[in-house]
Amino acid sequence: MLLLQRYFVANNQLTDNDFSIIGEDVKHISKVMRMSEGDELICINEDGLVAHCKITCISPDEVKGDVVEYLTQNTELPVKVTVAQALPKGDKLELIVQKGTELGAFAFLPFQASRSIVKWDEKKSEKKRERLEKIAKEAAEQSYRNIVPKVYSKLSFQQLLKEAENHDIKIVAFEENAKAGEFNNLATSLLKAEVASSIFVLIGPEGGLTHEEVLELEQAGFIPCSFGPRILRTETAALYFLSAVSYHFEMLR
C-alpha cells in the first residue's frame, strides 16, 4: 500500500465511490508510470482525505476509477508551520519549498526584505508562485504528505507583519543572537507550543535582517532566536527549524 503512487486532486474529483484525475497528472500516469486499467494508486483531496483507488478508464484527458477504501494515514506535523522567507538569490527558494515541503511546512510566504537583492515585479511574482506551487505539489506527493503547502504571492514587510498576527508563536531567526551565545529562545518557544498551534518562522535574506526590521518584529511579538552556534545560510535556516520542530513534536513523543 505504501508504495502506491500518490496524486492530489480537487475535492470534487474524489467522492465516496469514485475519483477523477485531470491535467498534467494524466500524462504522468499513462506515459511516465505506464499505468493501465486495473492498476491502483492513492488520491488525496484538498481536505487531506486519503483514498486507495483502482483505475477503470484512462483517456488522453482524464483518468477515472473506483475508490477501494479510505485510509486513516496522517503524515502531517502536529503543528502548522508557516515559513516566511526573504527573497533569496538564484533558485534557492525552489530548494527551500521542495525540502521544506518534505519536512512538513504548512505554508510558504516569500517577502521583500530591506537587504533582499532579488526584486520581483507583479508579473514575475505570479509566474514564480505558480512554479513554486508545482514544486510543492510534487514534493508533497513524493514525501507522502496529506496536503500540499500553500505558496503565497510575494508580500512586502508590512504585509508580512499583518499576515503573522493570527499565529500562536512568531519566531525570527537572528544571527546576532547566535554570535552573542543565546541558545535558549528556540527551545523555550517550542516547549510553549501545543499540538495544533500555528507557528510563524521568519528567515532573512543572504545579507541578514536589519536591526530596524528585527526591532519592528520584536514589537509585533516575534521572538529572536539563534539556530545553534553556527551561522546558517538563508536556504538552510528554514530546514533546520522544520527539522527541530519534527524532532520536538514527533520523535520525542
Side-chain angles (χ1 to χ4, degrees):
M1 183 70 65
L2 291 176
L3 297 178
L4 294 179
Q5 189 70 28
R6 300 163 76 88
Y7 296 94
F8 286 94
V9 298
N11 283 345
N12 62 3
Q13 292 173 248
L14 183 62
T15 71
D16 290 342
N17 301 312
D18 52 44
F19 76 93
S20 170
I21 296 175
I22 57 176
E24 293 184 3
D25 285 336
V26 173
K27 182 179 179 180
H28 187 267
I29 290 170
S30 60
K31 303 298 183 182
V32 179
M33 300 304 297
R34 297 187 179 276
M35 292 187 185
S36 57
E37 294 178 11
D39 285 337
E40 299 176 338
L41 48 77
I42 299 292
C43 284
I44 310 106
N45 72 2
E46 296 161 304
D47 294 330
L49 294 177
V50 182
H52 172 203
C53 302
K54 180 177 289 188
I55 298 172
T56 60
C57 178
I58 297 180
S59 70
D61 301 315
E62 187 178 23
V63 175
K64 297 191 293 184
D66 300 324
V67 171
V68 177
E69 62 176 333
Y70 273 90
L71 308 175
T72 56
Q73 298 174 347
N74 183 14
T75 58
E76 296 303 306
L77 282 176
V79 292
K80 294 180 178 179
V81 179
T82 293
V83 176
Q85 175 69 53
L87 295 180
K89 295 183 291 184
D91 58 0
K92 293 177 183 177
L93 190 54
E94 294 186 3
L95 173 71
I96 292 164
V97 169
Q98 182 188 57
K99 302 307 179 186
T101 296
E102 292 178 26
L103 289 167
F106 180 74
F108 297 94
L109 196 160
F111 73 97
Q112 193 83 47
S114 296
R115 291 175 177 164
S116 291
I117 297 173
V118 175
K119 308 293 182 184
W120 288 1
D121 57 28
E122 187 172 335
K123 183 178 180 181
K124 187 174 183 179
S125 178
E126 183 58 25
K127 186 176 181 180
K128 286 282 189 179
R129 188 187 66 80
E130 291 175 356
R131 167 68 177 158
L132 293 171
E133 279 187 332
K134 181 179 180 181
I135 290 171
K137 176 179 176 293
E138 292 174 350
E141 290 171 345
Q142 179 273 321
S143 57
Y144 284 45
R145 293 286 302 272
N146 283 48
I147 64 164
V148 178
K150 179 179 179 180
V151 179
Y152 287 75
S153 297
K154 183 212 61 174
L155 299 184
S156 68
F157 187 74
Q158 294 303 319
Q159 290 172 324
L160 174 147
L161 291 177
K162 185 69 176 176
E163 193 66 39
E165 287 180 356
N166 296 324
H167 290 74
D168 299 314
I169 295 174
K170 293 173 282 189
I171 289 171
V172 53
F174 191 39
E175 63 184 26
E176 296 301 323
N177 279 42
K179 292 176 182 177
E182 181 278 302
F183 303 132
N184 297 320
N185 287 355
L186 177 58
T188 301
S189 298
L190 293 182
L191 285 171
K192 290 180 180 178
E194 299 177 351
V195 171
S197 293
S198 58
I199 302 176
F200 195 96
V201 60
L202 185 146
I203 312 296
E206 287 88 351
L209 297 165
T210 65
H211 284 277
E212 291 76 16
E213 285 172 328
V214 174
L215 179 59
E216 196 165 355
L217 288 166
E218 286 185 286
Q219 292 172 345
F222 279 77
I223 303 166
C225 297
S226 71
F227 287 4
R230 292 161 295 281
I231 305 303
L232 306 179
R233 290 180 179 271
T234 186
E235 66 269 28
T236 309
L239 309 185
Y240 174 97
F241 181 80
L242 288 163
S243 299
V245 169
S246 174
Y247 181 74
H248 178 81
F249 283 99
E250 296 177 319
M251 308 305 286
L252 289 180
R253 301 190 179 190

